[in-house]
């Protein structure tokens, strides 16, 4: 499904960003069962999935290495308003310990040639207290960049969510020390179209 009208990027500005994010919790992606045991609070579920960043038709390498782009999802608990910045790990994989409730992914931030960009989204998902793990799917964020007078200009061309659990879930759950019986599939849902927010 192509949505060419999606053309929104927000460039983050240092002090404004810091002021706006005061009170946010930032969490790294959980990579193992050992890391999970150190970070999870009783009652939390592990929310996991993957982000694919497509720049000018090619998939970007996501992670924290020198030649990789960093990426973060900005989550808001829709009942409490609590904000969480969830970092994306190597290969675009993410896993965070979150309490039960309904969440919205309001932005996806990523690096592009030394500049931090942020795309507005409207994905929602639910975390129930009946499961230890919740799979939310693979987000494919398609972007276009071109060189401009003030640096690189970019647009979001489209974003989609796919269910890649058959290929991804077993290995991820094994690394986290969780069983398939403890997992729920709650794919990200688009709450409203981005064009309506502009």
């Amino acid at each position: 499904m192509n949505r060419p009208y999606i053309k929104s990027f927000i460039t983050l500005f240092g002090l404004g960003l810091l002021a706006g994010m005061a009170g946010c919790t930032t969490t790294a992606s959980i990579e193992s069962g050992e890391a999970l045991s150190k970070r999870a609070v009783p009652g939390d579920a592990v929310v996991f999935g993957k982000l694919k960043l497509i720049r000018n038709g090619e998939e970007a390498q996501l992670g924290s290495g020198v030649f990789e782009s960093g990426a973060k999802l900005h989550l808001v608990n829709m009942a409490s308003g609590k904000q969480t910045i969830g970092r994306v790990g190597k290969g675009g994989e993410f896993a965070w310990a979150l309490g039960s409730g309904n969440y919205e992914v309001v932005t996806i931030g990523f690096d592009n040639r030394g500049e931090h960009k942020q795309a507005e989204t409207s994905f929602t998902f639910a975390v129930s207290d009946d499961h230890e793990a919740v799979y939310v799917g693979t987000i494919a964020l398609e972007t276009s960049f071109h060189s401009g007078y003030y640096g690189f200009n970019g647009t979001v061309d489209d974003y989609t969510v796919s269910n890649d659990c058959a290929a991804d879930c077993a290995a991820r759950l094994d690394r986290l020390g969780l069983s398939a019986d403890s997992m729920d599939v709650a794919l990200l849902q688009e709450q409203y179209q981005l064009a309506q927010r502009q």
Side-chain angles (χ1 to χ4, degrees):
M1 176 180 186
N2 188 8
R3 289 174 271 190
Y5 54 82
I6 300 175
K7 301 289 181 186
S8 177
F9 262 139
I10 301 172
T11 302
L12 302 178
F13 297 98
L15 294 176
L17 172 66
L18 293 175
M21 292 181 139
C24 284
T25 302
T26 300
T27 183
S29 184
I30 299 169
E31 304 296 333
S32 67
E34 183 180 346
L36 175 60
S37 66
K38 291 178 181 175
R39 290 196 213 149
V41 173
D44 281 358
V46 179
V47 174
F48 71 101
K50 186 183 288 186
L51 172 66
K52 289 183 178 178
L53 174 62
I54 314 297
R55 285 190 298 216
N56 298 337
E58 295 187 13
E59 187 173 347
Q61 295 294 323
L62 294 176
S64 57
V66 175
F67 299 107
E68 298 170 325
S69 295
K72 299 174 185 175
L73 278 67
H74 184 173
L75 315 172
V76 177
N77 182 305
M78 296 169 74
S80 68
K82 180 182 176 185
Q83 300 180 47
T84 302
I85 305 298
R87 292 184 179 164
V88 174
K90 191 164 186 63
E93 294 182 347
F94 58 82
W96 312 300
L98 297 173
S100 61
N102 295 314
Y103 291 83
E104 182 179 4
V105 180
V106 294
T107 59
I108 299 173
F110 57 92
D111 299 326
N112 182 68
R113 297 186 183 236
E115 294 181 9
H116 193 73
K117 301 291 184 181
Q118 192 155 317
E120 289 187 48
T121 62
S122 62
F123 295 125
T124 60
F125 64 94
V127 178
S128 75
D129 50 14
D130 298 334
H131 299 90
E132 293 180 304
V134 179
Y135 173 72
V136 295
T138 298
I139 306 167
L141 183 64
E142 298 179 33
T143 64
S144 297
F145 282 91
H146 59 277
S147 182
Y149 187 73
Y150 293 107
F152 282 87
N153 299 318
T155 58
V156 174
D157 301 317
D158 199 8
Y159 52 69
T160 57
V161 175
S162 59
N163 185 348
D164 297 331
C165 190
D168 295 343
C169 286
R172 298 287 302 281
L173 290 169
D174 186 55
R175 273 189 279 156
L176 293 168
L178 300 172
S179 71
D181 295 337
S182 68
M183 185 194 74
D184 184 27
V185 175
L187 295 182
L188 294 156
Q189 301 292 318
E190 189 174 5
Q191 186 176 12
Y192 39 80
Q193 293 178 338
L194 183 59
Q196 296 172 348
R197 298 181 71 175
Q198 296 178 356

